[in-house]
Amino acid sequence: MRESDDITVCRGVGEKTAQTLRKMGIETVGDLLRHIPVRYDTFGEIVSVEEAESGQICAIRGEFLSAPQNLRTGKLVRTIVSFGDGTGTVRLTWFRMPYLKNMLHRGDRRIVRGKLMRSRYGITMEQPKLFTEEEYAARQKTLQPVYAMTGTLSAKIFSKILRGALDSLEPRPEFLPESLRVRYDLVEWKTAIERIHFPRDEKEMLTARRRLVFDEFLFFLLGIRRWKEQREERHNLYDFSRHSWEEQLRAGLGYELTGAQKRVWQEIREDLEGPTLMNRLIQGDVGSGKTVLAQLALTAAAENGLQGAIMAPTEVLAAQHYASFTELYARCGLPVRCVLLTGSLKASERRQAYVAIENHEADIVIGTHALIQEKVVYDNLALVVTDEQHRFGVHQREELAAKGQEPHILVMSATPSPRTLAIILYGDLDISLVDEMPVGRRPIKNCVVDTTFRPKAYEFLRKQVEAGHQAYVICPLVETSEEMEAENVLDYAEKLRASLPGLQIETLHGRMRPREKNARMEAFQAGDIQILVSTTVVEVGVNVPNATVMMIENAERFGLAQLHQLRGRVGRGQAQSYCIFIDASGDAEQNRRLQILGKSNDGFEIAAEDLKLRGPGDLFGIRQSGNLEFTIGDIYNDAQTLKEASEACDWILKQDLDLTSKEFGPLAREITQRRALEPGQVNL
């Protein structure tokens, strides 16, 4: 069995299972092997109800004290049963699992495991797992991998398929040179894959993970360093000498640029008019005014008879840019022609856009990945802007740049990262910081609370909606998971509808079709939805000035930098905005960590604190990357490995820039095979 083989070659994978796996992004055996656990579970000693700590996951041995009942609230079905061990009684609740009513009986003895909560209403445990004595004892001896799953595929079946694939995989050569593995104390790739899925203990898991993280960072860094080599000292072919439109645009803004914006704009202008091509990153906090700098640069291209393009990560954001650009040009009386190009346009609309772009009837092209499709032909493309750089692989930037004759590159990111890491991650780019917020912008008011605050939070949401505003509620999961204790979008929306009748509450998550997501987000922007319950898909750049509340459930599950990004969705209008971080961990250390967000709205300060605070313990939580979208690596948890991969990258390219030697040939082949498979990977 080879990594390139279709997933159906694996034992136990019929067409139905294959369909489920494909929905998870698993098409080949290689995809299966690289579907890394999101966390690991450890099964501790069994405790009594009396001893169990509130807010902690625990296991209790006891018996069912009543027959289960199914209760229905709207579409939501809850199964409730009383459970006890002589020292106390716990009310167990399961959501969307009505079949349990016929499987559980009064007097049955089991071990239940889940997060126990104590409140004035009693002791409760939601979505607990049930075990026999033998089952629980077996799990106590191992680390239990937890995978991101969809559909009805169970963790047990998935693990069995994985085991069979690993056992049947044909031998393959190690692609990292031995000298490199010895220098950085890295296990072989096959060993790492085996141990990441089936670790005997924590040490095995950590050494396996470190090797896979090192690989991922190394491939990414090799890509951006090669990109830099190819672009360095390329001559500027374009004339940007005319800049009278800049004055008109700035006059029409209705506000003065901040000192930071003026400084960064001067750096961009010097690049555009200088002897070599611009390759610059604008890094600035949410709301710091990066987009207006991109528009100034694109306007300069238009005035000089050149074309510019800006690529956004989502259709909603692209449409938002298009609307704000065209509105500002109309207000300023500037004859700049903009065209919107996204995947959801009708065929006739796309054809019209293609013609306008090729005939230079469009000065600025605004869109998504559709900008780099083969059918798009530009006329003198001189400037390419990519918004939210961490959402694009370097090869996608390269594809867009290839549409022109060596255009200038400007990249924007609203994800602040510590300077030491930014230099490594964006090694191919000059970095400009917009480290000042516009005058008059109201700071967001923050609070970090536990789950007992929810009734007050719901009442606060109602009051904000009654005042004419809107709100976001973020949950870490799409639906109930048998593998993870956390709030999910689908059930939470039902709970909110029951608690806040009469309000327009809708959901948004990554499993929705692109058109459905766009329609839902557009309805929220239009004010047709009052509360949007969502996963982190709302994180990127969407502007809804009327949204004044961001409430984040299970805030302990996210990195500080990502929480700060989510918070940036509010505070964009004139009204006071609020962010409510709900900490469901019951852990004092986690709460202290979240309090950093309660005290500061400065993204760079938060990113630096995040780097200090994150450690190996976080590896047992869900992946918390608030920056680049790596599959397994996290620039905060794995900062040291990132630095080592950067050293290794420099050494490799110094030895063999083209990776054609016998020593580095296997590495080049591995990168080529993986290029299109993993986020962040690039073409050498």
Side-chain angles (χ1 to χ4, degrees), residues 39 85 158 199 298 307 351 430 455 574 602 650 669:
R39 67 181 176 91
D85 66 352
F158 185 78
L298 291 163
Q307 270 186 330
R351 283 194 296 271
D430 297 315
Q574 298 301 311
D602 184 329
D650 290 341
R669 285 192 292 276

Side-chain angles (χ1 to χ4, degrees), residues 382-454:
L383 172 64
V384 169
V385 181
T386 59
D387 193 1
E388 294 295 347
Q389 132 74 10
H390 63 291
R391 299 283 164 158
F392 297 109
V394 176
H395 64 281
Q396 290 167 321
R397 268 197 274 152
E398 191 172 12
E399 282 181 70
L400 184 51
K403 291 288 186 180
Q405 188 182 5
E406 298 295 341
H408 293 280
I409 299 289
L410 184 64
V411 170
M412 300 190 293
S413 178
T415 309
S417 57
R419 184 78 180 174
T420 51
L421 298 188
I423 289 167
I424 296 172
L425 291 166
Y426 304 115
D428 58 324
L429 301 162
D430 297 315
I431 301 176
S432 292
L433 294 182
V434 184
D435 51 4
E436 188 179 346
M437 296 301 281
V439 176
R441 192 173 170 108
R442 289 192 184 192
I444 296 167
K445 292 185 177 179
N446 309 289
C447 66
V448 180
V449 295
D450 62 25
T451 54
T452 61
F453 188 80
R454 274 194 197 126

Side-chain angles (χ1 to χ4, degrees), residues 500-517:
L500 301 172
L503 300 191
Q504 190 59 37
I505 300 168
E506 295 293 347
T507 60
L508 179 72
H509 54 80
R511 291 189 200 161
M512 296 165 72
R513 291 189 177 92
R515 285 193 181 187
E516 194 180 0
K517 278 193 288 190

Side-chain angles (χ1 to χ4, degrees), residues 328-597:
L328 182 56
Y329 288 134
R331 189 168 6 121
C332 298
L334 289 174
V336 182
R337 299 163 298 181
C338 299
V339 163
L340 180 65
L341 183 59
T342 62
S344 66
L345 290 178
K346 294 175 183 174
S348 59
E349 292 172 328
R350 270 203 302 276
R351 283 194 296 271
Q352 286 176 359
Y354 295 153
V355 171
I357 295 165
E358 188 171 3
N359 294 341
H360 206 138
E361 293 162 7
D363 302 304
I364 299 173
V365 187
I366 302 167
T368 54
H369 289 85
L371 296 182
I372 56 177
Q373 290 173 349
E374 286 181 20
K375 292 180 181 178
V376 187
V377 178
Y378 293 86
D379 179 62
N380 213 6
L381 180 63
L383 172 64
V384 169
V385 181
T386 59
D387 193 1
E388 294 295 347
Q389 132 74 10
H390 63 291
R391 299 283 164 158
F392 297 109
V394 176
H395 64 281
Q396 290 167 321
R397 268 197 274 152
E398 191 172 12
E399 282 181 70
L400 184 51
K403 291 288 186 180
Q405 188 182 5
E406 298 295 341
H408 293 280
I409 299 289
L410 184 64
V411 170
M412 300 190 293
S413 178
T415 309
S417 57
R419 184 78 180 174
T420 51
L421 298 188
I423 289 167
I424 296 172
L425 291 166
Y426 304 115
D428 58 324
L429 301 162
D430 297 315
I431 301 176
S432 292
L433 294 182
V434 184
D435 51 4
E436 188 179 346
M437 296 301 281
V439 176
R441 192 173 170 108
R442 289 192 184 192
I444 296 167
K445 292 185 177 179
N446 309 289
C447 66
V448 180
V449 295
D450 62 25
T451 54
T452 61
F453 188 80
R454 274 194 197 126
K456 287 184 182 176
Y458 292 170
E459 191 53 36
F460 184 70
L461 289 176
R462 179 184 287 285
K463 286 179 180 175
Q464 286 291 302
V465 170
E466 287 173 350
H469 301 306
Q470 293 163 273
Y472 296 96
V473 177
I474 304 299
C475 298
L477 301 176
V478 175
E479 60 188 7
T480 301
S481 168
E482 291 190 6
E483 310 301 340
M484 193 183 298
E485 279 286 329
E487 295 295 336
N488 71 86
V489 166
L490 300 179
D491 288 344
Y492 201 96
E494 292 290 346
K495 283 190 213 173
L496 262 189
R497 289 181 187 121
S499 299
L500 301 172
L503 300 191
Q504 190 59 37
I505 300 168
E506 295 293 347
T507 60
L508 179 72
H509 54 80
R511 291 189 200 161
M512 296 165 72
R513 291 189 177 92
R515 285 193 181 187
E516 194 180 0
K517 278 193 288 190
N518 290 339
R520 195 63 54 87
M521 201 62 234
E522 285 166 7
F524 187 62
Q525 284 179 305
D528 298 334
I529 296 170
Q530 293 167 316
I531 299 177
L532 187 67
V533 183
S534 172
T535 57
T536 56
V537 293
V538 300
E539 183 185 337
V540 179
V542 177
N543 190 27
V544 184
N546 193 45
T548 56
V549 184
M550 169 63 71
M551 184 164 122
I552 304 171
E553 286 283 355
N554 294 106
E556 76 279 0
R557 293 274 184 187
F558 303 97
L560 297 184
Q562 188 176 27
L563 290 170
H564 177 65
Q565 277 281 88
L566 289 165
R567 173 169 59 185
R569 296 308 99 227
V570 296
R572 292 168 168 255
Q574 298 301 311
Q576 177 64 56
S577 288
Y578 308 84
C579 190
I580 303 167
F581 301 99
I582 296 191
D583 174 12
S585 70
D587 184 281
E589 190 60 38
Q590 283 279 25
N591 197 265
R592 276 195 294 273
R593 173 179 158 271
L594 291 172
Q595 290 296 342
I596 292 164
L597 291 158

Side-chain angles (χ1 to χ4, degrees), residues 237-256:
L237 306 172
Y238 308 102
D239 179 9
F240 276 82
S241 58
R242 295 197 299 273
H243 40 75
S244 62
W245 288 5
E246 174 199 330
E247 295 170 22
Q248 282 180 255
L249 191 73
R250 287 175 65 168
L253 287 173
Y255 57 86
E256 184 74 15

Side-chain angles (χ1 to χ4, degrees), residues 115-173:
K115 183 182 288 184
L116 182 137
M117 300 299 293
R118 296 178 186 272
S119 72
R120 58 183 176 174
Y121 303 110
I123 306 172
T124 59
M125 192 183 280
E126 291 186 355
Q127 220 64 19
K129 303 295 180 300
L130 300 171
F131 300 94
T132 63
E133 290 281 350
E134 295 75 18
E135 287 170 341
Y136 195 83
R139 280 167 172 76
Q140 282 184 295
K141 297 173 184 176
T142 59
L143 280 179
Q144 296 291 314
V146 178
Y147 297 92
M149 306 283 277
T150 61
T152 56
L153 189 64
S154 71
K156 188 175 181 180
I157 296 296
F158 185 78
S159 185
K160 194 173 179 181
I161 294 168
L162 252 172
R163 180 73 270 170
L166 278 167
D167 291 343
S168 305
L169 195 66
E170 68 177 26
R172 51 170 291 170

